[in-house]
Amino acid sequence: MKFLLFMLSWISLAAYGQFKLPAQRITEKISVDGVKNEAAWGLSNPSQEHFTTLRPSPGNKASFPTTISVLYDDNALYFFIECSDFPDSVSRVLSVRDDNNANIDFVAIFLDTYNDRQNGFYFGITSMGVQMDGKILSNELNSQLNLVWVSAVKLGTKGWCAELKIPYSAMRFAEKEVQDWNINFTRQIARKREQSCWFPVRPDFENYLVNSGKLVGVAHIKPPLRLSLLPYISSYLNQQSSTKYARSLFGGMDVKFGINEAFTLDLTLVPDFGQVIFDNQVLNTSPFEIEFNENRQFFTEGMELFNKSGIFYSRRIGVQAPMAVLKTNLLENEVIYGVQDKPQLYNATKLSGRTRKGLGVGVFNAVSAPTVGVAYNTVTNEKREFLAAPLTNYNTVVLDQNLRQNSSITLTNTNVTRAGNFYDANVTALNTNLNFYDNLYFLNAKATCSQKFLSTADQLGYNWGIGAGKKRGNLIYSMNYFEEDNHYDNNDIGINPINNRRIVSSNIGYRHYKPLGKFVRLTTNLSLSYNRLFAPNVYTESYFDWTATALTKTFDAFGINAYASFTDKFDYFEPRTWGSYFIVPRWHGAGAWISTNYQKAFAVDANFYYEGFGTNQPWKHFTYTFSPRIRLSKKMLVVMEWFLEQQRSDRGFAVQFSTPVDTVQGILFGERNRNILTQLLELNYTLTNRMNLSLRTRHYWSVLDYHRFFTLNQDGTLLPASTLGLDAEGHSAYNLNYNALTVDCAFRWVVKQGSELSMVWKSSVFRSVQNITPNYFQNMNDLFNAGLFNSFSIKFLYWLDVAELKSTIRSKNKH
């Protein structure tokens, strides 16, 4: 075994020595135009070779050669990449920035400037000149980070060429005499669905930093002054009623300052998030909070270090305060009638970087304004304003140490401090990710402690978990244990809808990457889970989930899966009263999906899933999705989606939406039918590689219709109840017809790199009524009659690089 590992290491090192890409220093100015017309390019030592394929069939020679030339000066790296191909076959599809889709030809660079094989930068360019970039941490690419660099492409008789100028200000690296950076390249040929790499990358461990060669010859360069300003001005015209509009004007600034070669300070002053797309609102009748995606740019760019431990949820800051905070100032018999939408964020700051010894440091701080809510008294029917959330400071500190074999250990601390009579909170997490034998095996462990500083007494909670397994090769497997006590709560700046649990899980899978008959890739996976409460230590459920997927030689993909519980489920959360539980009958289900080749002008995604509860019972769930994708031209793509979920004779806690006349003693459950219809239309029209028009409309319709009621027995079974569930007006207090219709239409123009003009129209209507409307067209008519809220806005951001500005001023003064 030791001899085998030695030989593998020797072979790897021998192959590694062949992948060196020389860079030549120049003094001549390079004009980035996609043409190799400067004499300096003649000094380069180009690497011309066939890349090695990653997909569809790994390990083969790429269909066409790719030539790479590298130059550098005191300010930037210059790449000239010649992608040989038949000129008529090169993709002419225009895409939006960072859209790595199957219809584009592109080439991309992976740069590991700290040689730790965990942190790096990604720069890509399509054959139509659209940029793609991002930051890499532990093999996770954050493409939300838009760096500022220059590129150009040119289509010719031998394929297409890309010329890139990557300023040192767009990267981070240590100051030393000779730079020795890891580098890799990847190229996609869309019509062949072929992706290949300069340094071979294995499909079972798709990591472009671990699998990389060397960029050599870069010497005597210094990290530049990294100071950029991004001031903005925005104007809004918001509809307040059918006849009244309100105008508003905002201004603010983002600042990015490189404190030294490794650390960067990002600051946003009086940010404006009014153009952010709508959330996918749903009707939530579960006992758990819904987690929404973060769409605000400041909280998506460069946040990968803060998210590594899984205890940071940025939407808590200025968007989604925890319910425990919102209820602090409620009086007896009061419920929350409404809360101010998205209070002002005064400022937010983040400091991040990594030292030469691989220690990553991140510090985040934000201050949000107080939030006002409206309370409703269920006895007197009176309403009043109250302070829902006070002036609040949010803080996160991260220390992340790189270790050998792509391993790491991470310490994260989050803290929330609130003004007035509201409680404060603190959470500390320690995570380790260890890899062995060339990343073949892994051992992961974590431990987290939460503290809530209440007026009565402090609340302390914890969780911990450990997992180990094999993650490379055809056969993979893992075993995991996770434990979380009933006091753990990280929801003040994190999200954890459920605590109080013990989970033992295992997973085994097999992946076949070589062509087999009509298939180019086959995978299957089986997972098992056994669950208990932490306190009391009682059994809740156990189940299995099996999946199998396949990719054909025509690049159509499909999959099937089956899942079932081994016993009845003992649900301690659905009753909403601690100590009670509800017995969910043993469940089972199956499903299938298909995704046809996106390379074609018309493609389809579709799936069907079924879930049944008990034996010979009417309690069943059906889910259907149909999503056609139509590429109308090289510039326009239309995606539609219809999603239908039918819950028949579903049983659960009866959530009341008004006050019933005949109240029932005990915990009320109901049997209901619920239909959920979601319709989505997305249109992207890319005018140029810097100009895009997008439209996104979404209609969500959920109808909740009860037809029987029960009280929950102490043994978890249900006893029929005589109530009809009617309120004083004769309507069901539990039925609901909920609609959410949103429209996001945006025109964006990148005036110059880093600067952008955007014009946005947003429209929405949200409607909840207790009258059930089974007719779709009548429902839509009632929805539009409820009135749409419209918002029109224009925003201009201008990027100023202080170093570039100083250089321009000096140049003018010389003349």
Side-chain angles (χ1 to χ4, degrees):
M1 182 66 180
K2 290 183 178 180
F3 176 77
L4 177 61
L5 290 173
F6 171 79
M7 290 300 296
L8 288 174
S9 301
W10 184 86
I11 293 170
S12 177
L13 287 171
Y16 166 77
Q18 298 172 8
F19 288 88
K20 290 185 178 180
L21 184 63
Q24 181 68 42
R25 175 180 277 278
I26 60 170
T27 56
E28 180 184 356
K29 182 180 179 181
I30 299 293
S31 176
V32 180
D33 53 11
V35 181
K36 207 173 186 180
N37 50 10
E38 291 89 359
W41 286 114
L43 302 175
S44 64
N45 185 11
S47 168
Q48 180 177 6
E49 54 192 291
H50 284 267
F51 285 13
T52 302
T53 59
L54 174 62
R55 56 178 64 90
S57 179
N60 298 324
K61 187 169 72 171
S63 301
F64 296 92
T66 306
T67 303
I68 306 167
S69 303
V70 187
L71 303 175
Y72 75 98
D73 59 21
D74 289 336
N75 302 307
L77 283 174
Y78 301 87
F79 292 88
F80 198 94
I81 306 174
E82 300 166 75
C83 301
S84 299
D85 203 343
F86 298 124
D88 294 337
S89 301
V90 175
S91 172
R92 264 75 171 178
V93 172
L94 271 170
S95 58
V96 297
R97 181 167 181 155
D98 295 323
D99 181 16
N100 184 358
N101 69 67
N103 294 281
I104 59 174
D105 287 357
F106 74 86
V107 64
I109 306 165
F110 297 85
L111 271 171
D112 174 14
T113 56
Y114 278 91
N115 287 316
D116 60 9
R117 302 191 183 274
Q118 297 190 51
N119 299 270
F121 298 90
Y122 167 79
F123 302 91
I125 188 76
T126 76
S127 55
M128 295 300 290
V130 179
Q131 292 186 346
M132 302 182 291
D133 54 19
K135 196 169 183 296
I136 303 167
L137 175 63
S138 299
N139 205 30
E140 294 292 331
L141 173 65
N142 179 8
S143 60
Q144 300 294 325
L145 178 64
N146 287 335
L147 303 167
V148 179
W149 49 289
V150 184
S151 60
V153 298
K154 202 79 170 179
L155 278 68
T157 58
K158 296 182 180 180
W160 63 283
C161 300
E163 190 172 13
L164 295 76
K165 176 186 177 181
I166 303 176
Y168 300 139
S169 58
M171 303 179 290
R172 300 178 190 175
F173 56 90
E175 183 174 357
K176 54 184 180 179
E177 288 297 310
V178 178
Q179 302 292 338
D180 190 24
W181 298 341
N182 297 323
I183 193 168
N184 204 351
F185 299 82
T186 187
R187 179 183 172 188
Q188 175 174 288
I189 302 175
R191 70 185 184 279
K192 294 178 173 290
R193 294 295 290 269
E194 179 183 283
Q195 185 178 353
S196 57
C197 306
W198 176 64
F199 189 103
V201 174
R202 290 184 54 176
D204 64 339
F205 186 60
E206 196 171 331
N207 190 311
Y208 297 87
L209 301 185
V210 171
N211 301 297
S212 58
K214 283 291 184 182
L215 179 66
V216 296
V218 179
H220 308 294
I221 64 171
K222 292 185 177 182
L225 169 66
R226 291 184 291 116
L227 175 59
S228 61
L229 310 176
L230 191 65
Y232 81 87
I233 185 170
S234 60
S235 178
Y236 289 81
L237 181 64
N238 294 327
Q239 182 180 9
Q240 294 183 322
S241 66
S242 58
T243 58
K244 186 177 180 181
Y245 285 80
R247 293 179 175 84
S248 55
L249 184 68
F250 299 96
M253 180 184 294
D254 287 355
V255 179
K256 186 182 290 288
F257 175 54
I259 297 175
N260 57 24
E261 64 190 41
F263 290 92
T264 301
L265 177 69
D266 292 275
L267 173 67
T268 182
L269 302 171
V270 196
D272 172 27
F273 301 121
Q275 292 189 337
V276 172
I277 65 171
F278 285 107
D279 292 326
N280 291 335
Q281 295 290 346
V282 298
L283 174 62
N284 182 22
T285 59
S286 78
F288 310 118
E289 181 182 14
I290 294 177
E291 181 176 358
F292 291 100
N293 291 331
E294 177 61 88
N295 297 310
R296 297 172 296 174
Q297 188 172 5
F298 183 83
F299 293 99
T300 58
E301 289 189 349
M303 297 298 291
E304 54 279 343
L305 190 62
F306 299 98
N307 295 322
K308 192 169 183 179
S309 293
I311 62 171
F312 181 78
Y313 181 50
S314 59
R315 285 181 58 96
R316 293 293 183 209
I317 304 165
V319 179
Q320 202 173 337
M323 188 58 65
V325 172
L326 299 178
K327 290 182 177 181
T328 300
N329 285 335
L330 290 180
L331 304 177
E332 187 178 0
N333 300 320
E334 284 187 339
V335 295
I336 297 174
Y337 184 80
V339 178
Q340 170 192 348
D341 183 40
K342 297 179 181 178
Q344 177 65 52
L345 181 65
Y346 288 142
N347 62 70
T349 307
K350 55 190 175 187
L351 170 70
S352 61
R354 193 168 294 272
T355 68
R356 296 186 183 186
K357 294 185 178 180
L359 176 63
V361 179
V363 180
F364 174 90
N365 199 84
V367 180
S368 67
T371 303
V372 176
V374 176
Y376 172 74
N377 192 302
T378 57
V379 176
T380 65
N381 294 326
E382 294 177 342
K383 298 178 184 177
R384 70 176 182 92
E385 281 195 354
F386 74 105
L387 181 62
L391 178 73
T392 306
N393 187 86
Y394 302 88
N395 182 266
T396 301
V397 178
V398 183
L399 299 175
D400 177 57
Q401 179 63 56
N402 291 338
L403 304 174
R404 293 182 179 181
Q405 291 283 323
N406 205 33
S407 304
S408 64
I409 181 169
T410 307
L411 177 68
T412 305
N413 187 83
T414 66
N415 182 272
V416 180
T417 305
R418 300 183 176 93
N421 63 325
F422 293 79
Y423 72 88
D424 300 329
N426 192 86
V427 179
T428 304
L430 180 66
N431 297 63
T432 60
N433 301 287
L434 305 176
N435 299 298
F436 310 96
Y437 296 113
D438 196 24
N439 292 278
L440 185 63
Y441 300 100
F442 71 90
L443 173 66
N444 297 335
K446 69 171 294 184
T448 313
C449 175
S450 69
Q451 297 168 282
K452 295 177 72 171
F453 305 104
L454 308 172
S455 57
T456 52
D458 295 345
Q459 178 179 304
L460 184 69
Y462 77 90
N463 69 28
W464 72 274
I466 187 170
K470 178 175 177 284
K471 65 178 181 179
R472 290 190 63 176
N474 297 107
L475 179 68
I476 57 173
Y477 50 83
S478 66
M479 285 288 297
N480 304 276
Y481 176 76
F482 180 73
E483 176 178 302
E484 192 167 74
D485 78 351
N486 54 318
H487 296 299
Y488 177 78
D489 186 354
N490 72 339
N491 288 298
D492 292 279
I493 196 172
I495 185 165
N496 187 53
I498 180 174
N499 61 7
N500 193 8
R501 49 187 172 161
R502 288 186 170 99
I503 304 172
V504 180
S505 62
S506 62
N507 179 84
I508 186 170
Y510 188 83
R511 306 172 296 182
H512 187 81
Y513 296 105
K514 293 289 186 179
L516 181 65
K518 296 182 179 180
F519 305 102
V520 294
R521 184 167 298 187
L522 295 165
T523 65
T524 185
N525 188 84
L526 175 66
S527 61
L528 303 171
S529 183
Y530 175 85
N531 299 263
R532 302 181 68 89
L533 288 185
F534 176 83
N537 184 13
V538 294
Y539 170 81
T540 56
E541 66 173 329
S542 56
Y543 58 87
F544 77 87
D545 188 348
W546 171 77
T547 63
T549 64
L551 178 65
T552 70
K553 289 184 176 180
T554 57
F555 304 108
D556 299 315
F558 61 88
I560 57 174
N561 74 313
Y563 37 89
S565 62
F566 295 108
T567 65
D568 292 342
K569 176 182 177 180
F570 299 85
D571 192 337
Y572 285 79
F573 297 95
E574 184 64 20
R576 323 292 164 98
T577 301
W578 187 244
S580 300
Y581 63 91
F582 168 51
I583 298 179
V584 180
R586 184 177 174 182
W587 51 266
H588 60 278
W593 61 268
I594 186 171
S595 180
T596 63
N597 187 356
Y598 282 8
Q599 184 66 29
K600 297 181 179 179
F602 179 80
V604 172
D605 293 320
N607 63 53
F608 167 75
Y609 292 95
Y610 160 81
E611 192 171 5
F613 297 82
T615 304
N616 299 321
Q617 291 195 24
W619 185 355
K620 303 180 187 303
H621 293 174
F622 300 89
T623 302
Y624 317 82
T625 303
F626 178 71
S627 177
R629 301 169 61 92
I630 307 170
R631 184 164 292 282
L632 298 176
S633 70
K634 302 293 185 183
K635 297 183 176 182
M636 184 181 294
L637 174 66
V638 177
V639 179
M640 294 170 282
E641 181 178 294
W642 288 271
F643 170 84
L644 176 63
E645 181 178 356
Q646 295 177 318
Q647 300 177 5
R648 299 178 183 174
S649 300
D650 178 85
R651 293 187 176 187
F653 181 80
V655 180
Q656 65 181 53
F657 301 100
S658 61
T659 304
V661 175
D662 50 342
T663 58
V664 175
Q665 297 296 320
I667 301 173
L668 189 67
F669 270 60
E671 184 175 278
R672 64 264 176 131
N673 290 335
R674 182 176 182 180
N675 291 326
I676 301 172
L677 174 65
T678 304
Q679 302 174 94
L680 183 69
L681 170 65
E682 292 182 332
L683 182 149
N684 273 292
Y685 183 69
T686 307
L687 290 83
T688 71
N689 57 13
R690 290 191 177 188
M691 200 177 294
N692 173 261
L693 177 66
S694 64
L695 172 68
R696 183 182 191 270
T697 67
R698 177 181 180 268
H699 175 224
Y700 172 88
W701 181 27
S702 179
V703 176
L704 195 60
D705 186 9
Y706 283 82
H707 46 79
R708 279 205 297 171
F709 293 93
F710 308 87
T711 54
L712 182 65
N713 294 322
Q714 290 185 350
D715 63 358
T717 59
L718 298 178
L719 179 69
S722 59
T723 180
L724 298 177
L726 302 179
D727 60 18
E729 298 180 0
H731 301 304
S732 171
Y734 303 93
N735 288 355
L736 196 71
N737 181 8
Y738 175 77
N739 283 267
L741 175 64
T742 58
V743 179
D744 293 274
C745 184
F747 170 78
R748 302 190 188 278
W749 175 26
V750 179
V751 181
K752 72 165 194 172
Q753 295 301 332
S755 302
E756 181 180 285
L757 174 69
S758 58
M759 292 180 284
V760 174
W761 166 50
K762 300 178 67 174
S763 185
S764 64
V765 58
F766 303 96
R767 184 172 183 261
S768 297
V769 294
Q770 292 174 263
N771 291 329
I772 303 301
T773 308
N775 184 281
Y776 172 80
F777 296 101
Q778 181 61 48
N779 177 74
M780 294 302 295
N781 182 66
D782 294 342
L783 181 62
F784 283 111
N785 287 336
L788 291 167
F789 167 84
N790 289 284
S791 172
F792 303 90
S793 62
I794 182 169
K795 185 176 183 179
F796 182 65
L797 305 95
Y798 191 78
W799 181 77
L800 289 168
D801 186 293
V802 175
E804 183 179 296
L805 186 61
K806 289 172 65 177
S807 177
T808 302
I809 294 174
R810 284 197 300 266
S811 178
K812 288 183 177 180
N813 290 336
K814 289 181 180 179
H815 293 86

